Coordinates of all heavy atoms in Angstrom, one line a residue:
M18 N 7.4 -13.5 -0.6 CA 8.6 -12.7 -0.9 C 9.4 -13.2 -2.1 O 10.5 -13.0 -2.5 CB 9.5 -12.4 0.2 CG 9.0 -11.6 1.4 SD 8.9 -9.9 1.0 CE 7.4 -9.4 1.8
G19 N 8.8 -14.2 -2.9 CA 9.5 -14.9 -3.9 C 9.3 -14.3 -5.3 O 9.4 -15.0 -6.2
Q20 N 9.1 -13.0 -5.3 CA 8.8 -12.4 -6.7 C 10.0 -12.2 -7.5 O 11.1 -11.9 -7.1 CB 8.1 -11.1 -6.5 CG 6.8 -11.1 -5.7 CD 5.8 -10.0 -6.2 OE1 6.2 -9.1 -6.8 NE2 4.7 -10.1 -5.6
T21 N 9.9 -12.6 -8.7 CA 11.1 -12.3 -9.6 C 10.7 -11.2 -10.6 O 9.7 -10.5 -10.3 CB 11.4 -13.6 -10.4 OG1 10.3 -14.1 -11.1 CG2 11.9 -14.7 -9.5
A22 N 11.3 -11.0 -11.6 CA 11.0 -10.0 -12.7 C 11.0 -8.6 -12.3 O 11.2 -7.8 -13.2 CB 9.5 -10.3 -13.3
A23 N 10.9 -8.3 -11.1 CA 10.9 -6.9 -10.6 C 12.2 -6.6 -9.8 O 12.6 -7.7 -9.2 CB 9.7 -6.5 -10.0
P24 N 12.6 -5.4 -9.7 CA 13.8 -5.3 -8.8 C 13.4 -5.6 -7.3 O 12.2 -5.5 -7.0 CB 14.1 -3.8 -8.9 CG 13.1 -3.1 -9.8 CD 12.2 -4.3 -10.5
A25 N 14.4 -6.0 -6.5 CA 14.0 -6.3 -5.1 C 13.2 -5.2 -4.4 O 13.6 -4.0 -4.5 CB 15.3 -6.6 -4.4
R26 N 12.1 -5.7 -3.8 CA 11.2 -4.7 -3.1 C 11.0 -5.1 -1.8 O 10.7 -6.2 -1.6 CB 10.0 -4.6 -4.0 CG 9.1 -3.6 -3.4 CD 8.0 -3.2 -4.5 NE 7.1 -4.4 -4.7 CZ 6.2 -4.4 -5.7 NH1 6.0 -3.3 -6.3 NH2 5.5 -5.5 -5.8
T27 N 11.2 -4.3 -0.8 CA 10.8 -4.6 0.6 C 9.9 -3.5 1.1 O 9.9 -2.3 0.7 CB 12.1 -4.6 1.5 OG1 12.7 -3.3 1.5 CG2 13.1 -5.6 1.0
I28 N 9.0 -4.0 1.9 CA 8.0 -3.2 2.5 C 8.0 -3.4 4.0 O 8.1 -4.4 4.5 CB 6.6 -3.6 1.8 CG1 6.6 -3.2 0.4 CG2 5.5 -3.0 2.6 CD1 5.7 -4.2 -0.4
R29 N 7.9 -2.2 4.7 CA 8.0 -2.3 6.1 C 7.0 -1.2 6.7 O 6.9 -0.1 6.1 CB 9.5 -2.0 6.6 CG 10.0 -3.0 7.3 CD 11.4 -2.7 7.7 NE 12.2 -2.0 6.6 CZ 13.2 -1.0 7.0 NH1 13.6 -0.9 8.2 NH2 13.9 -0.5 5.9
L30 N 6.4 -1.5 7.7 CA 5.6 -0.6 8.4 C 6.6 0.2 9.4 O 7.2 -0.4 10.2 CB 4.5 -1.2 9.3 CG 3.4 -0.3 9.8 CD1 2.6 0.2 8.7 CD2 2.6 -1.2 10.8
V31 N 6.6 1.6 9.3 CA 7.5 2.3 10.1 C 6.8 3.0 11.2 O 7.4 3.6 12.2 CB 8.4 3.3 9.2 CG1 9.4 2.5 8.3 CG2 7.6 4.2 8.5
R32 N 5.4 3.2 11.0 CA 4.7 3.8 12.1 C 3.4 3.1 12.2 O 2.6 3.0 11.1 CB 4.5 5.3 11.8 CG 3.7 6.0 12.8 CD 3.4 7.5 12.4 NE 3.0 8.2 13.5 CZ 1.7 8.3 14.0 NH1 0.8 7.5 13.4 NH2 1.3 9.1 14.9
S33 N 3.0 2.5 13.2 CA 1.8 1.7 13.4 C 0.7 2.7 13.4 O 0.6 3.7 14.0 CB 1.8 0.9 14.7 OG 0.6 0.3 14.9
P34 N -0.5 2.2 12.8 CA -1.7 3.0 12.9 C -2.5 2.8 14.2 O -3.5 3.4 14.2 CB -2.5 2.6 11.6 CG -2.0 1.2 11.4 CD -0.6 1.2 11.8
K35 N -1.9 2.0 15.0 CA -2.7 1.7 16.3 C -3.2 2.9 17.1 O -4.2 2.9 17.6 CB -1.9 0.7 17.1 CG -1.9 -0.7 16.6 CD -1.4 -1.7 17.7 CE -1.0 -3.0 17.2 NZ 0.5 -3.1 16.8
D36 N -2.3 3.8 17.2 CA -2.6 4.8 18.0 C -3.7 5.9 17.6 O -4.6 6.1 18.2 CB -1.4 5.7 18.4 CG -0.4 4.9 19.3 OD1 -0.8 3.9 20.0 OD2 0.9 5.1 19.3
D37 N -3.5 6.5 16.4 CA -4.4 7.4 16.0 C -4.9 7.1 14.6 O -5.6 8.0 14.0 CB -3.8 8.9 16.0 CG -2.5 8.8 15.1 OD1 -2.2 7.8 14.4 OD2 -1.7 9.9 15.0
G38 N -4.8 6.0 14.1 CA -5.3 5.5 12.9 C -4.4 5.9 11.6 O -4.8 5.4 10.5
V39 N -3.3 6.6 11.9 CA -2.5 7.0 10.6 C -1.2 6.2 10.8 O -0.5 6.3 11.8 CB -2.2 8.5 10.7 CG1 -1.3 8.7 9.5 CG2 -3.6 9.3 10.5
G40 N -0.9 5.4 9.8 CA 0.3 4.7 9.8 C 1.2 5.1 8.6 O 0.7 5.8 7.7
V41 N 2.5 4.7 8.7 CA 3.5 5.1 7.6 C 4.1 3.8 7.3 O 4.5 3.0 8.2 CB 4.4 6.2 8.0 CG1 5.4 6.4 6.9 CG2 3.8 7.5 8.3
F42 N 4.2 3.5 6.0 CA 5.0 2.4 5.5 C 6.0 2.8 4.5 O 5.8 3.8 3.9 CB 4.2 1.2 5.1 CG 3.3 1.4 3.8 CD1 3.8 1.0 2.7 CD2 2.2 2.0 3.9 CE1 3.1 1.1 1.5 CE2 1.3 2.2 2.7 CZ 1.9 1.8 1.6
R43 N 7.1 2.1 4.3 CA 8.1 2.4 3.3 C 8.2 1.2 2.4 O 8.2 0.1 2.8 CB 9.4 2.8 3.9 CG 10.2 1.8 4.5 CD 11.4 2.4 5.2 NE 12.6 2.3 4.2 CZ 13.8 2.8 4.4 NH1 14.0 3.5 5.7 NH2 14.8 2.8 3.6
I44 N 8.4 1.6 1.1 CA 8.7 0.7 0.1 C 10.1 1.0 -0.4 O 10.2 2.1 -0.8 CB 7.7 0.7 -1.1 CG1 6.3 0.4 -0.6 CG2 8.1 -0.4 -2.2 CD1 5.2 0.5 -1.6
D45 N 11.0 -0.1 -0.3 CA 12.3 0.1 -0.9 C 12.3 -0.5 -2.3 O 12.2 -1.7 -2.3 CB 13.3 -0.4 -0.1 CG 13.5 0.5 1.2 OD1 12.7 0.3 2.1 OD2 14.4 1.3 1.2
V46 N 12.6 0.2 -3.3 CA 12.8 -0.4 -4.7 C 14.2 -0.1 -5.1 O 14.5 1.1 -5.3 CB 11.7 0.1 -5.6 CG1 11.8 -0.6 -7.0 CG2 10.3 -0.1 -5.1
G47 N 14.9 -1.1 -5.3 CA 16.4 -0.8 -5.8 C 17.1 0.3 -4.8 O 17.9 1.0 -5.3
G48 N 16.8 0.1 -3.5 CA 17.6 0.8 -2.7 C 17.0 2.3 -2.3 O 17.5 2.9 -1.5
R49 N 16.0 2.6 -3.1 CA 15.5 4.0 -2.9 C 14.1 3.9 -2.1 O 13.2 3.3 -2.5 CB 15.2 4.6 -4.2 CG 16.4 5.4 -4.7 CD 16.1 6.0 -6.1 NE 15.6 4.8 -7.0 CZ 15.0 5.0 -8.1 NH1 15.1 6.2 -8.7 NH2 14.6 4.0 -8.9
P50 N 14.1 4.5 -0.9 CA 12.8 4.4 -0.1 C 11.8 5.4 -0.6 O 12.1 6.4 -0.9 CB 13.3 4.9 1.3 CG 14.5 5.6 1.1 CD 15.2 5.2 -0.2
Q51 N 10.6 4.9 -0.5 CA 9.5 5.7 -0.7 C 8.5 5.6 0.5 O 8.2 4.4 0.9 CB 8.7 5.4 -2.0 CG 9.5 5.5 -3.3 CD 8.7 5.0 -4.4 OE1 7.7 4.4 -4.4 NE2 9.3 5.2 -5.7
F52 N 8.2 6.6 1.1 CA 7.2 6.6 2.3 C 5.8 6.9 1.9 O 5.4 7.8 1.2 CB 7.7 7.6 3.3 CG 9.1 7.2 3.8 CD1 10.2 7.5 3.3 CD2 9.2 6.4 5.1 CE1 11.5 7.2 3.8 CE2 10.3 6.1 5.6 CZ 11.5 6.5 5.0
Y53 N 5.0 6.1 2.6 CA 3.5 6.3 2.2 C 2.8 6.4 3.6 O 3.0 5.7 4.6 CB 2.9 5.1 1.6 CG 3.5 5.0 0.1 CD1 4.6 4.4 -0.2 CD2 2.7 5.4 -1.0 CE1 5.0 4.3 -1.5 CE2 3.1 5.4 -2.2 CZ 4.3 4.8 -2.6 OH 4.7 4.7 -3.9
A54 N 1.8 7.3 3.7 CA 0.9 7.3 4.8 C -0.3 6.4 4.4 O -0.8 6.4 3.4 CB 0.5 8.8 5.1
L55 N -0.9 5.8 5.5 CA -2.2 5.0 5.3 C -3.1 5.3 6.4 O -2.7 5.7 7.5 CB -1.8 3.5 5.2 CG -1.4 2.8 6.4 CD1 -2.5 2.3 7.3 CD2 -0.4 1.7 6.1
R56 N -4.3 5.2 6.1 CA -5.4 5.2 7.0 C -6.5 4.2 6.6 O -7.0 4.2 5.4 CB -6.1 6.7 7.0 CG -7.3 6.7 7.9 CD -7.9 8.3 7.7 NE -7.1 9.2 8.3 CZ -7.2 9.5 9.5 NH1 -7.9 8.9 10.4 NH2 -6.4 10.5 10.0
E57 N -6.8 3.4 7.5 CA -8.0 2.3 7.1 C -9.2 3.1 7.0 O -9.6 4.0 7.9 CB -7.9 1.3 8.1 CG -8.9 0.1 7.7 CD -8.6 -1.2 8.4 OE1 -7.6 -1.2 9.2 OE2 -9.2 -2.2 7.9
V58 N -10.0 2.7 6.1 CA -11.3 3.3 5.9 C -12.4 2.2 5.8 O -12.0 1.1 5.4 CB -11.4 4.2 4.6 CG1 -10.5 5.4 4.8 CG2 -11.0 3.3 3.4
P59 N -13.6 2.4 6.2 CA -14.6 1.4 6.2 C -14.8 0.9 4.8 O -14.8 1.6 3.8 CB -15.8 2.1 6.6 CG -15.4 3.3 7.4 CD -14.1 3.7 6.7
C60 N -14.9 -0.4 4.7 CA -15.1 -1.1 3.4 C -16.2 -2.0 3.5 O -16.1 -3.0 4.2 CB -13.8 -1.9 3.1 SG -13.8 -2.5 1.4
E61 N -17.3 -1.8 2.7 CA -18.5 -2.5 2.9 C -18.7 -3.6 1.9 O -19.6 -4.4 2.0 CB -19.8 -1.6 2.9 CG -19.9 -0.9 4.1 CD -20.6 0.5 3.9 OE1 -21.2 0.8 2.8 OE2 -20.5 1.4 4.8
I62 N -17.7 -3.7 1.0 CA -17.9 -4.8 0.0 C -16.8 -5.9 0.1 O -16.6 -6.5 -0.9 CB -17.9 -4.1 -1.4 CG1 -16.6 -3.3 -1.6 CG2 -19.1 -3.3 -1.6 CD1 -16.5 -2.7 -3.0
G63 N -16.4 -6.1 1.3 CA -15.4 -7.3 1.4 C -14.0 -6.7 1.5 O -13.6 -5.8 0.8
G64 N -13.1 -7.5 2.2 CA -11.8 -7.0 2.3 C -11.7 -5.8 3.2 O -12.5 -5.6 4.0
R65 N -10.4 -5.1 3.1 CA -10.2 -4.0 3.9 C -9.8 -2.8 3.1 O -9.0 -3.0 2.1 CB -9.0 -4.4 4.9 CG -9.5 -5.4 6.0 CD -8.2 -5.8 6.8 NE -7.8 -4.7 7.7 CZ -6.7 -4.7 8.4 NH1 -6.0 -5.9 8.4 NH2 -6.3 -3.8 9.1
G66 N -10.2 -1.7 3.5 CA -10.0 -0.6 2.6 C -9.0 0.4 3.3 O -9.0 0.6 4.5
F67 N -8.1 1.0 2.5 CA -7.2 1.9 3.0 C -7.1 3.2 2.0 O -7.0 3.0 0.8 CB -5.7 1.3 3.0 CG -5.6 0.2 4.1 CD1 -5.9 -1.2 3.7 CD2 -5.3 0.4 5.4 CE1 -5.9 -2.2 4.6 CE2 -5.1 -0.5 6.4 CZ -5.4 -1.9 5.8
A68 N -7.0 4.3 2.6 CA -6.6 5.4 1.9 C -5.0 5.7 2.0 O -4.5 5.7 3.1 CB -7.3 6.7 2.3
V69 N -4.3 5.8 0.9 CA -3.0 5.8 1.0 C -2.5 6.9 0.1 O -3.0 7.2 -1.0 CB -2.4 4.5 0.3 CG1 -0.9 4.5 0.0 CG2 -2.7 3.2 1.1
H70 N -1.4 7.6 0.5 CA -0.7 8.6 -0.3 C 0.7 8.7 0.0 O 1.2 8.4 1.2 CB -1.4 10.0 -0.2 CG -0.9 10.7 1.0 ND1 -1.7 10.7 2.2 CD2 0.0 11.7 1.3 CE1 -1.1 11.4 3.1 NE2 -0.1 12.0 2.5
R71 N 1.5 8.8 -1.0 CA 3.0 8.9 -0.9 C 3.2 10.3 -0.3 O 2.7 11.3 -0.7 CB 3.6 8.9 -2.3 CG 5.1 8.8 -2.2 CD 5.7 8.4 -3.6 NE 7.1 8.8 -3.5 CZ 7.8 8.8 -4.6 NH1 7.3 8.5 -5.9 NH2 9.0 9.1 -4.6
L72 N 4.1 10.2 0.8 CA 4.3 11.5 1.5 C 5.0 12.5 0.5 O 5.9 12.1 -0.2 CB 5.3 11.2 2.7 CG 4.7 10.3 3.8 CD1 5.6 10.2 5.0 CD2 3.3 11.0 4.3
G73 N 4.6 13.8 0.7 CA 5.1 14.8 -0.1 C 4.4 14.9 -1.5 O 4.6 15.9 -2.3
M74 N 3.5 13.9 -1.7 CA 2.7 13.9 -3.1 C 1.3 14.1 -2.7 O 0.8 13.6 -1.6 CB 2.8 12.7 -3.8 CG 4.3 12.2 -4.0 SD 5.3 13.2 -5.1 CE 5.0 12.3 -6.6
G75 N 0.4 14.7 -3.5 CA -0.9 15.0 -3.1 C -1.9 13.9 -3.3 O -2.9 13.9 -2.7
T76 N -1.6 13.1 -4.3 CA -2.6 12.1 -4.7 C -2.9 11.1 -3.7 O -2.1 10.3 -3.2 CB -2.2 11.4 -6.0 OG1 -1.6 12.4 -6.9 CG2 -3.3 10.7 -6.7
V77 N -4.2 10.9 -3.4 CA -4.6 9.9 -2.4 C -5.3 8.7 -3.3 O -6.1 9.0 -4.2 CB -5.7 10.4 -1.4 CG1 -6.2 9.2 -0.6 CG2 -5.1 11.4 -0.6
Y78 N -4.8 7.5 -3.0 CA -5.3 6.4 -3.6 C -6.2 5.5 -2.7 O -5.7 5.4 -1.5 CB -4.3 5.4 -4.3 CG -3.4 6.0 -5.2 CD1 -2.1 6.3 -5.0 CD2 -3.9 6.5 -6.5 CE1 -1.3 6.9 -5.8 CE2 -3.1 7.1 -7.4 CZ -1.8 7.4 -7.0 OH -1.0 7.9 -8.0
H79 N -7.3 5.1 -3.0 CA -8.1 4.1 -2.2 C -7.8 2.7 -2.6 O -8.0 2.4 -3.8 CB -9.7 4.4 -2.3 CG -9.9 5.8 -1.6 ND1 -10.0 7.0 -2.3 CD2 -10.2 6.1 -0.3 CE1 -10.3 7.9 -1.4 NE2 -10.3 7.4 -0.2
V80 N -7.4 2.0 -1.7 CA -6.8 0.7 -1.9 C -7.7 -0.4 -1.2 O -8.0 -0.2 -0.1 CB -5.4 0.4 -1.6 CG1 -4.8 -0.8 -2.0 CG2 -4.5 1.6 -2.1
R81 N -8.1 -1.5 -1.9 CA -8.9 -2.5 -1.3 C -8.1 -3.8 -1.3 O -7.7 -4.1 -2.4 CB -10.3 -2.7 -1.8 CG -11.2 -3.7 -1.1 CD -12.6 -3.3 -1.4 NE -12.9 -3.3 -2.8 CZ -13.2 -4.3 -3.6 NH1 -13.3 -5.5 -3.1 NH2 -13.4 -4.1 -4.9
V82 N -7.9 -4.5 -0.2 CA -7.0 -5.6 -0.2 C -7.7 -6.6 0.8 O -8.6 -6.3 1.5 CB -5.6 -5.4 0.3 CG1 -4.8 -4.6 -0.8 CG2 -5.6 -4.7 1.6
G83 N -7.2 -7.9 0.9 CA -7.6 -8.8 1.9 C -8.8 -9.6 1.5 O -9.3 -10.4 2.2
G84 N -9.3 -9.3 0.3 CA -10.5 -10.0 -0.2 C -10.1 -10.6 -1.6 O -8.9 -10.6 -2.0
P85 N -11.0 -11.3 -2.1 CA -10.7 -12.0 -3.4 C -10.5 -11.0 -4.7 O -10.2 -11.5 -5.7 CB -11.9 -12.9 -3.7 CG -13.0 -12.2 -2.8 CD -12.4 -11.5 -1.7
D86 N -10.9 -9.8 -4.4 CA -11.0 -8.9 -5.5 C -10.4 -7.5 -5.1 O -11.0 -6.5 -5.0 CB -12.4 -8.7 -5.9 CG -12.6 -7.8 -7.2 OD1 -11.7 -7.7 -7.9 OD2 -13.7 -7.1 -7.3
P87 N -9.0 -7.5 -5.1 CA -8.3 -6.3 -4.7 C -8.5 -5.1 -5.7 O -8.7 -5.5 -6.9 CB -6.8 -6.7 -4.6 CG -6.7 -7.9 -5.4 CD -8.1 -8.5 -5.5
S88 N -8.3 -3.9 -5.3 CA -8.4 -2.8 -6.3 C -7.6 -1.7 -5.8 O -7.3 -1.5 -4.6 CB -9.8 -2.4 -6.4 OG -10.4 -1.8 -5.3
C89 N -7.3 -0.8 -6.7 CA -6.6 0.5 -6.4 C -6.9 1.4 -7.5 O -7.2 1.1 -8.5 CB -5.1 0.2 -6.3 SG -4.1 1.7 -5.8
E90 N -6.7 2.7 -7.1 CA -7.2 3.7 -8.1 C -6.0 4.2 -8.9 O -6.2 5.1 -9.7 CB -7.7 5.0 -7.2 CG -9.1 4.6 -6.6 CD -9.5 5.8 -5.8 OE1 -8.7 6.5 -5.1 OE2 -10.7 5.9 -5.6
C91 N -4.8 3.8 -8.7 CA -3.7 4.2 -9.4 C -3.6 3.8 -10.8 O -4.3 2.8 -11.2 CB -2.4 3.9 -8.6 SG -1.8 2.3 -8.8
L92 N -2.8 4.4 -11.6 CA -2.8 4.1 -13.1 C -2.2 2.8 -13.3 O -2.6 2.1 -14.2 CB -1.9 5.1 -13.8 CG -2.6 6.5 -13.9 CD1 -1.6 7.5 -14.6 CD2 -3.8 6.4 -14.8
G93 N -1.2 2.4 -12.5 CA -0.7 1.0 -12.6 C -1.7 -0.1 -12.4 O -1.7 -1.0 -13.2
F94 N -2.5 0.1 -11.5 CA -3.5 -0.9 -11.2 C -4.6 -0.9 -12.4 O -4.9 -1.9 -12.9 CB -4.3 -0.7 -9.9 CG -5.1 -1.9 -9.6 CD1 -4.5 -3.0 -8.8 CD2 -6.4 -2.1 -10.0 CE1 -5.3 -4.1 -8.6 CE2 -7.2 -3.1 -9.7 CZ -6.6 -4.2 -8.9
L95 N -5.0 0.3 -12.9 CA -5.9 0.3 -13.9 C -5.3 -0.3 -15.2 O -6.0 -1.0 -15.9 CB -6.2 1.9 -14.3 CG -7.0 2.6 -13.3 CD1 -7.2 4.1 -13.8 CD2 -8.4 1.9 -13.2
R96 N -4.0 -0.2 -15.3 CA -3.5 -0.8 -16.5 C -3.1 -2.4 -16.4 O -3.3 -3.1 -17.3 CB -2.1 -0.1 -16.9 CG -1.7 -0.5 -18.2 CD -0.5 0.5 -18.6 NE -0.9 1.9 -18.7 CZ -0.1 2.9 -18.9 NH1 1.2 2.8 -18.9 NH2 -0.6 4.2 -18.9
W97 N -2.6 -2.7 -15.2 CA -2.0 -4.1 -15.0 C -2.8 -4.9 -14.0 O -2.4 -6.1 -13.7 CB -0.6 -4.0 -14.7 CG 0.3 -3.5 -15.9 CD1 0.3 -4.0 -17.1 CD2 1.0 -2.3 -15.8 NE1 1.2 -3.2 -17.8 CE2 1.6 -2.2 -17.2 CE3 1.3 -1.3 -14.9 CZ2 2.5 -1.1 -17.5 CZ3 2.2 -0.3 -15.3 CH2 2.8 -0.2 -16.6
A98 N -3.8 -4.3 -13.4 CA -4.6 -5.0 -12.3 C -3.7 -5.5 -11.2 O -4.0 -6.4 -10.5 CB -5.3 -6.2 -12.9
R99 N -2.5 -4.8 -10.9 CA -1.7 -5.0 -9.8 C -0.9 -3.9 -9.6 O -0.6 -3.0 -10.5 CB -0.9 -6.2 -9.9 CG 0.0 -6.3 -11.1 CD 0.7 -7.7 -11.3 NE 1.2 -7.8 -12.6 CZ 2.4 -7.3 -13.0 NH1 3.2 -6.8 -12.0 NH2 2.9 -7.5 -14.2
C100 N -0.5 -3.6 -8.4 CA 0.4 -2.4 -8.3 C 1.1 -2.4 -6.8 O 0.8 -3.3 -6.1 CB -0.5 -1.0 -8.3 SG -1.6 -1.0 -6.8
K101 N 2.0 -1.6 -6.6 CA 2.8 -1.7 -5.3 C 1.9 -1.3 -4.1 O 2.2 -1.8 -3.1 CB 4.0 -0.8 -5.4 CG 3.7 0.7 -5.6 CD 4.9 1.5 -5.8 CE 4.5 2.9 -6.2 NZ 5.8 3.7 -6.8
H102 N 0.8 -0.6 -4.3 CA 0.0 -0.3 -3.2 C -0.8 -1.6 -2.6 O -0.8 -1.9 -1.5 CB -1.1 0.7 -3.6 CG -0.4 2.0 -4.2 ND1 -0.8 2.3 -5.5 CD2 0.4 2.9 -3.7 CE1 0.0 3.4 -5.9 NE2 0.7 3.8 -4.8
V103 N -1.4 -2.3 -3.6 CA -2.1 -3.5 -3.3 C -1.0 -4.5 -2.7 O -1.2 -5.2 -1.7 CB -2.8 -4.1 -4.5 CG1 -3.2 -5.6 -4.3 CG2 -4.0 -3.3 -4.9
A104 N 0.1 -4.6 -3.4 CA 1.2 -5.7 -3.0 C 1.7 -5.2 -1.6 O 1.8 -6.1 -0.8 CB 2.3 -5.7 -4.0
G105 N 1.9 -4.1 -1.5 CA 2.4 -3.5 -0.2 C 1.6 -3.8 1.0 O 2.0 -4.4 2.0
L106 N 0.2 -3.4 0.8 CA -0.6 -3.5 1.9 C -1.0 -4.9 2.2 O -1.1 -5.4 3.3 CB -1.9 -2.8 1.6 CG -1.7 -1.2 1.7 CD1 -3.1 -0.5 1.2 CD2 -1.5 -0.7 3.1
S107 N -1.0 -5.8 1.2 CA -1.2 -7.2 1.4 C -0.1 -7.8 2.1 O -0.3 -8.7 2.9 CB -1.4 -7.9 -0.2 OG -2.5 -7.4 -0.8
A108 N 1.1 -7.4 1.8 CA 2.3 -8.0 2.5 C 2.3 -7.5 3.9 O 2.6 -8.4 4.8 CB 3.5 -7.5 1.8
L109 N 1.9 -6.4 4.2 CA 1.9 -5.8 5.6 C 0.8 -6.6 6.4 O 0.9 -7.0 7.5 CB 1.6 -4.3 5.6 CG 2.7 -3.5 5.2 CD1 2.2 -2.1 5.1 CD2 3.9 -3.7 6.1
I110 N -0.4 -6.9 5.7 CA -1.4 -7.8 6.4 C -0.9 -9.1 6.6 O -1.1 -9.7 7.7 CB -2.7 -7.7 5.5 CG1 -3.3 -6.3 5.7 CG2 -3.7 -8.7 6.1 CD1 -4.5 -6.1 4.7
R111 N -0.3 -9.7 5.6 CA 0.3 -11.1 5.8 C 1.3 -11.1 7.0 O 1.4 -12.0 7.7 CB 1.0 -11.5 4.5 CG 0.0 -12.2 3.5 CD 0.8 -13.0 2.4 NE 1.8 -12.2 1.9 CZ 1.6 -11.5 0.8 NH1 0.5 -11.5 0.2 NH2 2.6 -10.9 0.2
Q112 N 2.1 -10.0 7.1 CA 3.1 -10.0 8.1 C 2.5 -9.7 9.5 O 3.2 -9.9 10.5 CB 4.1 -8.7 8.0 CG 5.0 -9.0 6.7 CD 5.8 -7.6 6.4 OE1 5.8 -6.8 7.2 NE2 6.3 -7.6 5.2
G113 N 1.1 -9.4 9.5 CA 0.5 -9.1 10.8 C 0.7 -7.7 11.2 O 0.4 -7.4 12.4
A114 N 1.3 -6.9 10.5 CA 1.7 -5.5 10.8 C 0.4 -4.6 10.8 O 0.3 -3.6 11.4 CB 2.7 -4.9 9.8
L115 N -0.6 -5.0 10.1 CA -1.8 -4.2 10.0 C -3.0 -5.0 10.5 O -3.2 -6.1 10.2 CB -2.1 -3.7 8.6 CG -1.2 -2.7 7.9 CD1 -1.6 -2.4 6.6 CD2 -1.2 -1.4 8.8
Ligands
LIG202 ZN1 -2.0 1.3 -6.7

């Protein structure tokens, strides 16, 4: 959690995917919450795969984390090779929440 350069960002799992495979996490950036739904999907090339979409928005991103080569389909990742989806899911895995 020692990131600088960006506004304070916290990530929390608010609904565990344990029961039916669908979880919800929230990212707070500068005090504004954004809610995302996640579902783990099989990942055959290492790491763990998740389908993620922001609630209320249609776009689904496939995110791969937990391996040496994370990836995401969003524009931010395409441009900068990092994004809040990868950072968020990685943080939740580190927390033991996923
Ligand atoms: Zn992303």
Side-chain angles (χ1 to χ4, degrees):
M18 293 282 145
Q20 299 206 356
T21 54
R26 182 166 64 185
T27 61
I28 290 149
R29 242 178 319 151
L30 193 68
V31 295
R32 181 184 194 280
S33 172
K35 279 196 194 94
D36 291 338
D37 59 7
V39 178
V41 176
F42 65 99
R43 74 181 263 176
I44 301 178
D45 288 83
V46 183
R49 275 174 310 178
Q51 298 175 351
F52 291 87
Y53 292 82
L55 71 86
R56 174 188 288 275
E57 186 155 9
V58 295
C60 185
E61 281 150 18
I62 52 175
R65 293 172 68 186
F67 294 89
V69 172
H70 77 275
R71 187 171 162 190
L72 294 184
M74 315 285 271
T76 313
V77 174
Y78 301 112
H79 291 93
V80 187
R81 187 156 51 88
V82 293
D86 184 27
S88 67
C89 181
E90 297 174 324
C91 73
L92 288 176
F94 193 89
L95 289 177
R96 191 171 298 172
W97 292 299
R99 57 192 164 79
C100 69
K101 59 189 172 186
H102 311 112
V103 167
L106 290 172
S107 298
L109 290 173
I110 289 171
R111 276 198 307 273
Q112 293 168 15
L115 289 179

